Amino acid sequence: MVRQRRAQWIPVGVIALAVVIDLVTPTDVTSAPLLATAPVAAAPLLSPVGIVAVGVLSMIVHVILAGVDHTFGWHGGVANQLTLAAVTVLAVLINRTLTGQSARTRRARQVAAVAQAAVLPRPPSRLGDLAIAARYIPAEDEAMIGGDLYVVQDTPHGVRVMVGDVRGKGLGAVSAVCADLGAFRYAADEAEDLPRLVDALEWALLREGGRRGGQEEDEGFTTALIAEFAAGLDTVRIVNRGHPPPLLLDARGGAAVLGPSREAPPLGMGDLGTWRAPVDTFAFPPGSTLLCYTDGVTEARDENGVFYDAAVRMPRLLRHRSLVGDPPAPAQILQLLIDDVGRHTGGRVQDDQALLALHRPTEATGPVPRPPRV
């Protein structure tokens, strides 16, 4: 906002520059062409009234400068005045065009936000003892709906979770997201274990790719992290299909990367071969938070091209937070992560970010063990 207010002074600065140039140059040199750029500079910055005011000010300054140089005549005076008036009218028309385009862009973003909320509703804040927070951060330069997703569901087999990233953008990606979410919501209740759940997701994505045809049939895929919490929340079982591994944050602010014991390709690549991704089981002690995110976080780069490393930066943020206040809730953890990624990238959101935090409350005091693979 402050930067925008400063930018509104640019047309006045152009006029001031024209005055200086006219005063320090010979009388046969006119600054009228520079004065004519002032209303144009005002077109994207000011209202129509402000643009007209800048144009009138330019015309008045030109008259004064031409009078001082005794050069105001038909060629050096009236013609330039007509030019300044015409440019001012043109700047107002440009402003109206830009305003209309901006309004259409805002409406498109609003529609996209509503559609995103309908396709990807926020999960409940609590399922049993499990506290949940989710955030979706779209890329700044992307008006289309993204392909990142998250879903949390209470099932007869425990709380099951999926975080994923569909290849592509726009309506094609939304179609694949809907297929993934629909398949998950059905299979999460029916599948007896995670391998069967993953098979159902694989089949749904392959079927959706066949319907879309073309390149999407051959190259459409979804990186996915599927997790299942045991009934007592003592452990979490994870299947990773080409997705950034989650972090397990302990009650002391430490972080452990829960990487897969064996790499597996994304979902939707079954035509290239058959993979059986391992189900890795990790301890989930009281006070732990499972932090999941898409590659909009892991591939966020600073001005030197250095990727963001949540495993290094999050413990620092959490330790600092513990010194200045209470331990952060899941929603606050996500906000810490979002703010820190923004600082790392200089405020540029380079890709969509889907973030999910799942927290098991502390039940008892005492030493908190590191999360070994079970």
Side-chain angles (χ1 to χ4, degrees), residues 7-226:
Q8 292 175 347
W9 287 97
I10 291 177
V12 177
V14 172
I15 295 175
L17 179 62
V19 171
V20 173
I21 292 176
D22 193 271
L23 294 177
V24 301
T25 55
T27 56
D28 58 343
V29 177
T30 177
S31 61
L34 184 56
L35 286 170
T37 64
V40 177
L45 302 174
L46 302 177
S47 66
V49 174
I51 296 170
V52 171
V54 170
V56 171
L57 179 60
S58 298
M59 296 173 70
I60 294 173
V61 169
H62 173 258
V63 169
I64 295 173
L65 293 176
V68 171
D69 293 338
H70 304 288
T71 58
F72 192 89
W74 172 254
H75 197 52
V78 176
N80 286 335
Q81 289 287 296
L82 292 174
T83 299
L84 288 170
V87 170
T88 301
V89 173
L90 177 62
V92 172
L93 295 177
I94 293 174
N95 175 267
R96 293 180 66 89
T97 300
L98 293 175
T99 301
Q101 291 177 345
S102 178
R104 288 192 292 272
T105 300
R106 285 196 302 271
R107 288 195 295 269
R109 289 183 180 274
Q110 290 170 355
V111 171
V114 172
Q116 186 77 58
V119 172
L120 195 65
R122 188 165 293 184
S125 60
R126 182 173 291 274
L127 286 175
D129 290 333
L130 193 65
I132 305 164
R135 292 285 299 276
Y136 191 99
I137 309 299
E140 288 181 342
D141 60 350
E142 188 61 57
M144 301 294 288
I145 301 173
D148 292 12
L149 61 98
Y150 48 69
V151 58
V152 182
Q153 188 165 319
D154 192 10
T155 76
H157 315 285
V159 176
R160 287 177 168 176
V161 176
M162 179 170 70
V163 179
D165 186 359
V166 172
R167 174 189 174 275
K169 300 287 184 183
L171 295 179
V174 173
S175 178
V177 167
C178 291
D180 283 340
L181 294 177
F184 180 88
R185 293 193 182 281
Y186 174 78
D189 284 336
E190 300 298 326
E192 296 180 359
D193 53 30
L194 287 186
R196 288 186 176 89
L197 173 56
V198 172
D199 288 344
L201 295 172
E202 181 83 54
W203 169 245
L205 195 58
L206 287 174
R207 182 176 56 189
E208 180 62 25
R211 289 174 178 172
R212 291 152 71 185
Q215 185 181 26
E216 298 297 332
E217 182 176 4
D218 298 329
E219 300 182 14
F221 57 82
T222 299
T223 68
L225 182 79
I226 299 99

Side-chain angles (χ1 to χ4, degrees), residues 145-336:
I145 301 173
D148 292 12
L149 61 98
Y150 48 69
V151 58
V152 182
Q153 188 165 319
D154 192 10
T155 76
H157 315 285
V159 176
R160 287 177 168 176
V161 176
M162 179 170 70
V163 179
D165 186 359
V166 172
R167 174 189 174 275
K169 300 287 184 183
L171 295 179
V174 173
S175 178
V177 167
C178 291
D180 283 340
L181 294 177
F184 180 88
R185 293 193 182 281
Y186 174 78
D189 284 336
E190 300 298 326
E192 296 180 359
D193 53 30
L194 287 186
R196 288 186 176 89
L197 173 56
V198 172
D199 288 344
L201 295 172
E202 181 83 54
W203 169 245
L205 195 58
L206 287 174
R207 182 176 56 189
E208 180 62 25
R211 289 174 178 172
R212 291 152 71 185
Q215 185 181 26
E216 298 297 332
E217 182 176 4
D218 298 329
E219 300 182 14
F221 57 82
T222 299
T223 68
L225 182 79
I226 299 99
E228 177 185 271
F229 292 88
L233 300 182
D234 294 325
T235 60
V236 56
R237 292 179 286 274
I238 296 176
V239 173
N240 193 323
R241 295 296 298 266
H243 197 78
L247 285 183
L248 188 62
L249 308 175
D250 63 34
R252 293 174 175 172
V257 179
L258 304 188
S261 57
R262 187 174 70 251
E263 299 291 338
L267 298 172
M269 303 183 70
D271 287 345
L272 302 180
T274 301
W275 293 270
R276 181 58 64 182
V279 178
D280 296 312
T281 303
F282 301 90
F284 193 58
S288 297
T289 300
L290 186 68
L291 181 59
C292 310
Y293 37 74
T294 56
D295 61 6
V297 172
T298 57
E299 296 183 1
R301 290 173 290 184
D302 63 11
E303 58 183 7
N304 298 318
V306 177
F307 290 105
Y308 183 83
D309 190 346
V312 173
R313 298 176 70 108
M314 283 303 296
R316 300 174 185 170
L317 296 173
L318 294 174
R319 282 195 291 269
H320 174 73
R321 175 60 187 256
S322 66
L323 293 175
V324 299
D326 296 330
Q332 294 170 326
I333 290 175
L334 294 187
Q335 191 61 53
L336 288 172

